[in-house]
Amino acid sequence: MKRFLIICCFIFFVVPSLMAQTTIKPGAGINFTNVTGDGADATGQAGWQVGASFAFGNKFYTEPGIFYQNSSFEYTTVDEGPVTDASYHGIRIPLALGLNILGNSESSFGLRAFGGASSFIVTGTSSEFLDKDEISSPQWGVFAGVGLDIWIVYIDASYQWSATNLQTDVTNIDLGNSRGLFLTAGLRF
């Protein structure tokens, strides 16, 4: 398994940088996360993320990234129990494959479409009922989105579907999978 991960990292990080145009994209943004579980009502609240990604390519591109992310939701049990805010934070590592629909990596204006997979490594929680040890880590997901480039500024909007259950133990309450809307803006160099 380790060998497979090392080979994947080499293919997606090293090879493209040797062969293609590279764009560095630091950015920050907000996210809205919901959960899909039964036995509870959870409503997404605003969270945030900050980090950077690196796009390799011109018309078609590969874009790995790393972001520190905070996600939160408001939780109520079905029997109208107490309302509790829950948040968790960690490192999100997305890997996108994209297409510049209008323009390319060197254009002053561009429209992009992208999709890919991500991993989220939980580093902590800020909740009365949810401990770090109760949250699955890493969490795997897939996402799709669009991006707009104007001169050196970019704006990305994406939607992510989690493939991993949020909790490790679902005997009492099952929060289910998370789904989230991500809005990120930053600069591209």
Side-chain angles (χ1 to χ4, degrees):
M1 184 66 174
K2 285 184 181 181
R3 182 178 289 169
F4 175 74
L5 290 173
I6 291 170
I7 291 170
C8 287
C9 287
F10 181 80
I11 289 170
F12 289 113
F13 290 105
V14 177
V15 172
S17 68
L18 297 174
M19 298 172 41
Q21 173 72 27
T22 302
T23 304
I24 301 169
K25 298 172 60 177
I30 59 173
N31 63 69
F32 301 93
T33 304
N34 277 327
V35 292
T36 63
D38 295 326
D41 182 23
T43 305
Q45 295 181 328
W48 54 270
Q49 70 268 357
V50 62
S53 60
F54 307 90
F56 305 108
N58 205 6
K59 193 70 171 170
F60 293 97
Y61 64 92
T62 302
E63 187 173 344
I66 186 163
F67 290 86
Y68 185 78
Q69 173 184 321
N70 183 55
S71 297
S72 61
F73 55 91
E74 184 177 85
Y75 171 81
T76 309
T77 59
V78 173
D79 60 357
E80 299 300 321
V83 174
T84 306
D85 289 334
S87 68
Y88 56 99
H89 47 274
I91 306 295
R92 181 174 181 250
I93 305 169
L95 175 60
L97 301 175
L99 168 67
N100 283 298
I101 299 169
L102 297 175
N104 59 38
S105 64
E106 298 173 358
S107 300
S108 294
F109 177 81
L111 179 64
R112 297 173 284 108
F114 57 87
S118 71
S119 175
F120 181 72
I121 301 165
V122 177
T123 59
T125 64
S126 300
S127 171
E128 296 175 9
F129 78 94
L130 195 60
D131 291 329
K132 178 183 177 281
D133 297 335
E134 296 173 337
I135 299 178
S136 299
S137 183
Q139 296 175 15
W140 302 97
V142 295
F143 62 91
V146 295
L148 181 65
D149 299 326
I150 303 171
W151 192 48
I152 65 168
V153 175
Y154 76 90
I155 301 169
D156 286 350
S158 63
Y159 192 82
Q160 177 168 298
W161 300 267
S162 174
T164 307
N165 197 318
L166 186 64
Q167 292 174 274
T168 55
D169 181 15
V170 294
T171 52
N172 294 328
I173 298 172
D174 182 9
L175 291 176
N177 297 350
S178 65
R179 296 181 181 161
L181 174 66
F182 291 82
L183 302 171
T184 306
L187 301 174
R188 58 189 189 118
F189 304 103

